[in-house]
Amino acid sequence: MEMEKDPHDQTGSYVHAGEAFDRDMNYIPDRITSDGSSPWPVEAGRYRLAVSRACPWANRTIISRRLLGLEDAISMAIAGPTHDKRSWTFDLDPGGKDPVLGIERLQQAYFARYPDYPRGITVPAMVDVPTGGVVTNDFNRITLDFATQWTDFHREGAPDLYPEGQRGEIDELNHWVLHHVNNGVYKTGFAGSQETYEKAYTDLWESLDALEDRLSRSRYLMGPAITEADVRLFPTLVRFDPVYHSHFKANRQPLASMPNLWNYTKDLFQTPGFGDTVDFQHIKEHYYVVQTDLNPTQIVPLGPDTSIFLEPHDRDRFDTDTWGPGGTAPLPPKADEVVDPAHTPLHPTGR
């Protein structure tokens, strides 16, 4: 999703000597709405969600789309896990082109709308299929709009991920998690000095300790049911031991040694719509191959053993209403959106 100084952008340089990591948070602010408040109306089949399974910011949109049952209303373009200095590429598709947009690079969708687009070519992005132009890459808004603007196309039994009575608290928690955890791992990993690293490392672990304590009192972040807050935290946690612990030097301890956070992560991983969106091989290839500032050899580690994500958890000791009143689990992923069985422990051949 990132921009110029961002680890998922196309510049190829992430560490700046002597500087703290500074994420560019300026995104295309357009929204797709149902009330006529924008030039982009909610319309089934009109938009395509461009993602990479490697990117945590894109991962949250894949989860939200699955949980809400928006697969038939919003199609999905999946870029490969690595990219060059120009942009994410659709090298997983036959002929190296997205079959709907007909483009090789996500950059082409950005340039179709903004020929001189000056910022990073980021995922997730919503693309207008008729024009081939990007509508928005505002990751912070996309999932909220999935929950609130696309309700006419939600599946029967879709959970209310952004319940009106909890929105203020969810927004506050999401803002804190974004800056201290979701982005905290990047501040740690891309620190340009010992001083900025130690400051970011300390803040990250103080924040993880606070979440460890919070999750000692309820099954999910906001209580007995899954909400937008869980959708946003999970992609960071599921990447922590495979990538952030070593690659980003966030190595006080593995997440697997923290009882509440680890069992919470396993619980969500085993919940339909969460773990079945995770491609561990794509995740590792992206971080270890693209981020040559940190890994100049581009060697991708074989470990860790991700089968531990399928071990029993203890989260059912709490009051639970996972999908909320009247909610049900999502259907299995569409056949063409199933994660490669060799890349996930959800399949017996997965590592």
Side-chain angles (χ1 to χ4, degrees):
M1 77 149 230
E2 292 73 348
M3 294 296 180
E4 292 170 317
K5 286 189 179 180
D6 249 307
H8 299 286
D9 74 2
Q10 74 280 14
T11 60
S13 181
Y14 315 111
V15 179
H16 299 266
E19 297 181 16
F21 174 67
D22 181 20
R23 182 180 301 281
D24 185 340
M25 294 289 288
N26 293 297
Y27 299 99
I28 301 169
D30 289 14
R31 294 175 57 195
I32 299 168
T33 60
S34 60
D35 61 3
S37 61
S38 84
W40 306 101
V42 165
E43 183 180 328
R46 176 169 175 176
Y47 306 99
R48 190 156 172 84
L49 173 65
V51 301
S52 169
R53 293 193 187 276
C55 175
W57 319 94
N59 195 175
R60 62 173 65 174
T61 64
I62 302 171
I63 294 169
S64 177
R65 174 177 172 271
R66 278 268 287 120
L67 297 183
L68 297 172
L70 291 171
E71 293 98 327
D72 290 336
I74 304 169
S75 64
M76 187 164 70
I78 304 176
T82 61
H83 54 69
D84 59 20
K85 292 183 178 181
R86 289 174 60 190
S87 82
W88 297 92
T89 58
F90 297 105
D91 52 308
L92 303 176
D93 293 306
K97 288 187 177 182
D98 177 76
V100 173
L101 299 173
I103 57 177
E104 297 177 350
R105 298 172 177 274
L106 183 57
Q107 182 186 61
Q108 292 168 264
Y110 279 73
F111 287 175
R113 185 174 178 203
Y114 301 106
D116 298 317
Y117 189 71
R119 316 192 80 85
I121 307 301
T122 64
V123 291
M126 292 289 282
V127 179
D128 180 45
V129 174
T131 63
V134 66
V135 175
T136 182
N137 61 348
D138 186 351
F139 75 96
N140 208 37
R141 207 46 254 183
I142 289 173
T143 53
L144 294 181
D145 286 341
F146 281 0
T148 61
Q149 302 300 309
W150 288 83
T151 53
D152 285 349
F153 299 99
H154 286 184
R155 65 179 175 85
E156 184 177 355
D160 184 356
L161 297 175
Y162 196 45
E164 194 163 352
Q166 293 182 299
R167 289 181 184 179
E169 186 180 354
I170 290 173
D171 290 345
E172 182 178 0
L173 178 60
N174 284 346
H175 180 81
W176 179 84
V177 167
L178 169 64
H179 291 286
H180 297 279
V181 181
N182 299 145
N183 199 33
V185 292
Y186 291 97
K187 292 176 183 178
T188 303
F190 289 105
S193 70
Q194 187 69 32
E195 180 183 2
T196 58
Y197 164 73
E198 292 183 6
K199 181 179 179 181
Y201 175 100
T202 299
D203 181 73
L204 171 64
W205 280 105
E206 286 178 350
S207 303
L208 290 172
D209 286 338
L211 289 170
E212 172 74 7
D213 177 67
R214 184 184 183 107
L215 289 167
S216 71
R217 296 186 290 275
S218 62
R219 184 160 188 171
Y220 306 109
L221 287 171
M222 296 300 299
I226 287 169
T227 66
E228 173 78 11
D230 304 292
V231 172
R232 295 192 181 203
L233 179 59
F234 172 77
T236 298
L237 299 184
V238 81
R239 287 163 174 74
F240 198 91
D241 286 2
V243 174
Y244 303 143
H245 178 268
S246 57
H247 186 60
F248 279 178
K249 305 181 185 70
N251 60 352
R252 189 188 76 179
Q253 64 194 99
L255 196 70
S257 68
M258 303 183 75
N260 294 311
L261 275 170
W262 178 236
N263 280 289
Y264 167 81
T265 303
K266 288 189 294 182
D267 183 13
L268 287 180
F269 188 87
Q270 296 167 35
T271 300
F274 284 86
D276 54 26
T277 70
V278 175
D279 188 317
F280 284 111
Q281 187 61 28
H282 280 200
I283 290 167
K284 291 194 296 183
E285 284 183 16
H286 175 77
Y287 285 94
Y288 287 101
V289 171
V290 174
Q291 295 170 3
T292 52
D293 280 4
L294 300 187
N295 189 40
T297 65
Q298 298 181 301
I299 294 172
V300 179
L302 293 177
D305 179 3
T306 56
S307 67
I308 59 176
F309 284 90
L310 300 183
E311 292 177 352
H313 61 78
D314 63 358
R315 304 300 290 173
D316 48 9
R317 72 184 191 271
F318 296 109
D319 290 341
T320 300
D321 185 14
T322 297
W323 305 112
T328 59
L331 294 172
K334 299 176 71 172
D336 60 350
E337 295 180 3
V338 173
V339 173
D340 185 331
H343 298 177
T344 173
L346 290 170
H347 189 280
T349 64
R351 292 182 68 103

